[in-house]
Amino acid sequence: MSAHTTRKRTSSTGNAITESVKRQVKEVTDTAQDAVTSGAWAYPIYGIYYLVSHPALMGPLLPTIFKGVLLSLGVVAGLFFFTYLPQVAVLAFVSGPLAFGLAIPVVLGEAYVVVNFLTRALLVNQAGVDLFDAVLLQKGHSALVEHGRQVTSGGSGGKSKVLGTLLMKPLSRFSTDNVVRYVLTLPLNLIPVVGTVFFLGFNGFKSGPGYHARYFQLKGYDKAKKQELIKKRRGAYTAFGTTAMVLNLIPALSILFTFTTSVGAALWASDLESKGRTAPDVKDAGKGAREEVDVILPSPGGSKGGKKDL
């Protein structure tokens, strides 16, 4: 093989790598820009205000939230007591005096995994789906919700709505993929600032679409349609998921933010329906601006799974 041919192939490989880097940098830049300008990052925060300002939704959740706060405090306190100093000692070899600060997000990240597993397995149950459906009903999207569960009228004059039995397969309460990905990327927090930003952004990017799993289910989207919409709103879902991640890392309040994030996801879905971005049902079109109706949540454990698979 001549030197000229070798140089030509090396140059071609170098150009291909350069083009690949440029393409991926542009993709990340476009996603980040869309994440900021989409406004989706604000919906988890809107969810906090909406849930707190609607006692009918908040009231039934208070016992669960109280238990979750106590559980979270116990887990965080236990991990800091038993694992903080050992992890500082390990980090001191690579980070020096910064180890005392770097160990904090690591311990909080570990606490998130434990608390998330315990609360979802023991406390949350179907409450997230009930909240999601309740907000959509309050925003006037009754036909959409009725695709996935029974909805009846209640109260005097039938002015309120009662959430009934689920007609679709219940969504999974726990994602193994999310936990494995989270644990594998947790060491990124050892890199000051940049590592933590990448950790939050990457996990937000991956987890964001999951907050609309119920919305996709109610719309009856198949896998191809879901992937199409996720790709179209990649930046928006990254922004939503990243904000949700930050909130869930706050000690003791993660279970509250689990519920408020479900509410925020429903508010976003309502806006998408009202703006017609996902071809809403004719009966639902334009209902997002109507006066809110009262919604009665089912009793804990009252939502049962269903007759229809995804």
Side-chain angles (χ1 to χ4, degrees), residues 30-44 204-205 208-209 229-243 268 272 277:
D30 290 344
T31 299
Q33 183 177 357
D34 183 37
V36 174
T37 59
S38 68
W41 53 268
Y43 280 100
F205 167 72
L229 290 175
I230 290 170
K231 183 177 181 180
K232 181 180 178 182
R233 302 195 197 100
R234 181 177 298 171
Y237 280 122
T238 299
F240 188 98
T242 301
T243 303
W268 185 14
L272 291 175
R277 293 181 183 174

Side-chain angles (χ1 to χ4, degrees), residues 209 212-213 215-217 220-233 237 310:
H212 267 175
Y215 181 46
F216 297 148
Q217 186 185 47
Y221 291 151
D222 58 19
K223 184 176 180 180
K225 181 64 175 179
K226 286 189 288 188
Q227 290 304 316
E228 177 188 344
L229 290 175
I230 290 170
K231 183 177 181 180
K232 181 180 178 182
R233 302 195 197 100
Y237 280 122
L310 289 174

Side-chain angles (χ1 to χ4, degrees), residues 65 68-73 76 115 248-256:
I65 292 173
V69 169
L70 292 180
L71 177 64
S72 298
L73 286 173
V76 171
V115 171
N248 279 308
L249 287 175
I250 298 176
L253 297 179
S254 59
I255 188 168
L256 171 62

Side-chain angles (χ1 to χ4, degrees), residues 128-182:
V129 171
D130 292 340
L131 274 176
F132 194 96
D133 291 352
V135 172
L136 287 179
L137 280 177
Q138 288 185 330
K139 291 297 184 180
H141 305 291
S142 57
L144 179 64
V145 176
E146 287 169 0
H147 288 166
R149 75 187 310 152
Q150 295 175 351
V151 178
T152 57
S153 298
S156 58
K159 293 182 179 180
S160 62
K161 301 286 186 179
V162 180
L163 293 177
T165 305
L166 294 175
L167 301 177
M168 293 178 169
K169 182 180 179 180
L171 297 172
S172 174
R173 288 181 290 175
F174 199 72
S175 172
T176 303
D177 289 343
N178 284 345
V179 174
V180 171
R181 180 180 62 251
Y182 185 92

Side-chain angles (χ1 to χ4, degrees), residues 104-146:
I104 294 176
V106 174
V107 175
L108 290 178
E110 294 164 349
Y112 169 78
V113 175
V114 177
V115 171
N116 188 45
F117 174 79
L118 292 177
T119 55
R120 288 184 179 275
L122 303 176
L123 298 174
V124 174
N125 295 319
Q126 201 62 36
V129 171
D130 292 340
L131 274 176
F132 194 96
D133 291 352
V135 172
L136 287 179
L137 280 177
Q138 288 185 330
K139 291 297 184 180
H141 305 291
S142 57
L144 179 64
V145 176
E146 287 169 0

Side-chain angles (χ1 to χ4, degrees), residues 44 108-109 112-113 116 178 181-183 185-186 189 196 198-208 211 237-250 254 257 261:
L108 290 178
Y112 169 78
V113 175
N116 188 45
N178 284 345
R181 180 180 62 251
Y182 185 92
V183 172
T185 56
L186 194 58
N189 289 287
T196 300
F198 186 82
F199 168 79
L200 293 172
F202 179 72
N203 281 282
F205 167 72
K206 289 294 187 178
S207 65
Y211 291 102
Y237 280 122
T238 299
F240 188 98
T242 301
T243 303
M245 278 287 302
V246 172
L247 292 174
N248 279 308
L249 287 175
I250 298 176
S254 59
F257 293 135
T261 300

